[in-house]
Amino acid sequence: MQKIEKMESLREAYGNELAALGEKNRDIVVLDADLSSSTKTGVFGKKFPDRFYNMGISEQSMVSTAAGLSLSGKTVFASTFAVFLSNTYNVIRQSVCYNEAPVNFVVTHSGITVGEDGPTHQILEDVGIMSGLPNMKVIVPVDSVETTSVTDYLSVKKPSPYYVRLTREKFPVLNESNYEFHEGKSVTFRDGSDITIMAYGIMVSFALKAAEILRGKGIDTRVVNMSSIKPLDRTAIVKAARETGKIVTAEEHSIYNGLGSRVAEVTGEEYPVPILRIGMPDIFGKSGKGMELFDYFHIGVNDIVEKTDKFFKRDYI
Amino acid sequence: MESYTVNDLAPIARQIRKEIIKMVYSAKSGHPGGSLSITDVLTALYFKEMNINPERPDDPDRDILVMSKGHASPALYATLALRGYFPAELLSGFRSINSKLEGHVHRGIPGVESSTGSLGQGLGVAIGFALASKLDERSNKIYAILGDGEMEEGNIWESLLAASKYKLDNLTAILDRNRIQLDGFTEDIMPLGNIAEKVAPFGWDVITINGNSLNEVVNALEEARKPREKPLFIVANTVKGKGVSYMENNPKYHGSPPANEEEYRQALKEIEEMQ
């Protein structure tokens, strides 16, 4: 298990795949709001300048225009930092979701892994914001391989809009290179019978490391990648509830309105079990190195081990 | 199909105005003021200028109009019904539970290109249509109708920049300059001043007309067809509530229907007597 982790950038995987897809699919158009060298849509932009629109620091106009292009039949990708897309909530709501305009929003620099830029840039509410919108689907790829597969999947025009949440930092590669994303399906990376950790994004890697340590403590931990947040794999949640009796959720996001809330909703409706939500409490982030901040906010690997251990041992009447 | 002359348009505009009054009176809600002000522009567009076929609402070469001021839904719905997109009998269901005619402009209705209502978004959506049209090398025209209160939205000014950057000579924005918004007169709420002088330096051709003169509207839309290098912005000076004396220039009728049977009958009678 102690193999060396291969770290790869999700946003580079996105930019490169988009540029490759642009060759085959002439209907793909891409918009950005002055961050194309960071979101990596610039790779597409350099190759296909006629189908790339840099809208400037004008996110509302970018989203409105993306809606119009989409209603015209184009396969539209629109990118900026996650925090700046939230400037445009009501444009997404009306012109994209209510209009049934299938725009693919692929945003980068989400969560505390943004690091040094600090709390203004570290959005921790976006999964909740976007999941609440009718018609919108929400995906958080776990690594570069899944990012490539999701980009590929969205290049065939879909009936609804998507929100795909990427990050600034490179993440460990967990999937085999031939992995294919399936909407609404989770992936069990490690089976276990005592307790389940359901996670997305970087927290899947942390959960896998935590599971290894927990094994040493005699706790057999299942780890599930919940990259498809909406639609959600309800079957896997109910299965985990039945088979392991307790579920821990782990996310680089507020514990409100994220995966923890969704899992609690499903278990509450189908098979009530105790839930422990690990994530950011009702607070903003802070500046620091992206990976340091997890320990600072007590949501790093050791915190997951400690909290899961305690939760596992706690008796519920 | 395009056989309508300017002389044919006045009776159509009167009919649309009557439908507007009937819709908001039967719904006991809705926005007559900004519907009556934009009626002449819509009449000229849908009955003379636009290349459209109600039997083929998805024709990729059709002209496209985005009604950014989505509260003027009665005007757009009445126009589309009279133009043949759906039966005029359906107009009486406006805003009611068993009707598709949602309170603000709704894309589920034949002929409607984009849902609107939350202001400031329609110009950007029209830009998206215009960019797609250029990519596909089509020669269709894209129109956006904006309210003047809507010019207070930041997204409009972002979009004005973008249309200029992409030299969207296939895009025409028409401003319904009726000088009234919900809370009162635009120049009291948030002074807009000379909008033409503000928009031109953003890289648009600008012309100013009387937007309640069918002749002037038709001439301006003909002008819009001439080859140009920039998008065109038409400031259409209009009268809010045009055609109904007690509604004209009265902020109350931004969002209120005729108050009683007497007001209702007076409105229909005055519209009938319009020139």
Side-chain angles (χ1 to χ4, degrees), chain A residues 23-277:
Chain A
E23 201 88 60
K24 291 174 263 176
N25 184 343
R26 311 302 289 184
D27 274 337
I28 293 179
V29 298
V30 179
L31 300 92
D32 205 300
D34 189 44
L35 293 169
S36 63
S37 54
S38 297
T39 64
K40 303 300 175 193
T41 60
V43 184
F44 179 96
K46 280 195 188 71
K47 223 167 142 189
F48 307 106
D50 294 348
R51 289 186 278 141
F52 176 74
Y53 305 104
N54 195 330
M55 303 300 288
I57 310 169
S58 308
E59 293 83 11
Q60 293 192 73
S61 145
M62 177 181 78
V63 173
S64 311
T65 301
L69 279 160
S70 169
L71 293 173
S72 301
K74 299 296 171 193
T75 301
V76 182
F77 287 82
S79 293
T80 178
F81 289 0
V83 74
F84 302 135
L85 192 73
S86 69
N87 288 3
T88 71
Y89 174 77
N90 187 34
V91 188
I92 298 175
R93 179 179 180 276
Q94 175 175 286
S95 291
V96 175
C97 291
Y98 182 51
N99 253 344
E100 298 178 43
V103 177
N104 301 315
F105 295 106
V106 181
V107 298
T108 65
H109 295 64
S110 63
I112 52 174
T113 42
V114 168
E116 293 86 339
D117 277 345
T120 54
H121 285 48
Q122 296 166 343
I123 194 164
L124 294 158
E125 316 85 56
D126 51 328
V127 168
I129 293 170
M130 295 298 159
S131 297
L133 285 164
N135 294 339
M136 182 66 90
K137 297 185 177 180
V138 178
I139 300 166
V140 189
V142 73
D143 62 6
S144 58
V145 175
E146 189 164 42
T147 302
T148 302
S149 180
V150 167
T151 308
D152 212 41
Y153 176 67
L154 296 181
S155 70
V156 180
K157 195 165 181 177
K158 299 286 178 288
S160 70
Y162 283 75
Y163 181 79
V164 180
R165 187 192 207 224
L166 306 181
T167 46
R168 172 175 175 248
E169 293 272 303
K170 292 179 177 177
F171 283 0
V173 179
L174 301 179
N175 285 297
E176 301 294 333
S177 58
N178 62 355
Y179 164 79
E180 252 183 61
F181 168 79
H182 292 285
E183 185 177 310
K185 294 277 178 226
S186 62
V187 176
T188 302
F189 273 123
R190 179 190 175 112
D191 208 357
S193 55
D194 291 334
I195 196 161
T196 301
I197 304 178
M198 303 193 120
Y200 61 85
I202 189 65
M203 299 303 268
V204 176
S205 299
F206 290 180
L208 285 168
K209 287 175 190 156
E212 195 57 31
I213 300 169
L214 286 163
R215 199 232 300 254
K217 295 173 181 281
I219 303 172
D220 186 20
T221 308
R222 181 180 302 180
V223 177
V224 185
N225 174 22
M226 302 296 287
S227 49
S228 181
I229 306 265
K230 188 185 173 192
L232 190 62
D233 189 347
R234 295 176 69 98
T235 309
I237 295 170
V238 175
K239 189 165 179 279
R242 282 182 192 278
E243 292 175 1
T244 69
K246 286 179 182 173
I247 299 176
V248 176
T249 60
E251 54 196 318
E252 186 193 352
H253 187 273
S254 170
I255 56 167
Y256 296 116
N257 298 324
L259 178 65
S261 301
R262 298 289 173 267
V263 168
E265 285 162 16
V266 173
T267 53
E269 285 172 354
E270 308 262 355
Y271 196 88
V273 294
I275 302 286
L276 173 71
R277 293 171 300 156

Side-chain angles (χ1 to χ4, degrees), chain B residues 3 14 28 31 34 43 54 93 113 123 136 155 168 194 201 203 208 214 227 244 249 253 255 271 274:
Chain B
S3 58
R14 280 199 293 273
K28 296 278 177 277
H31 298 78
T43 306
E113 302 282 1
L123 183 56
D136 294 342
N155 191 352
L168 296 177
N194 188 329
T208 301
L214 286 164
V244 179
N249 283 315
Y253 290 97
I271 289 167
M274 280 178 85

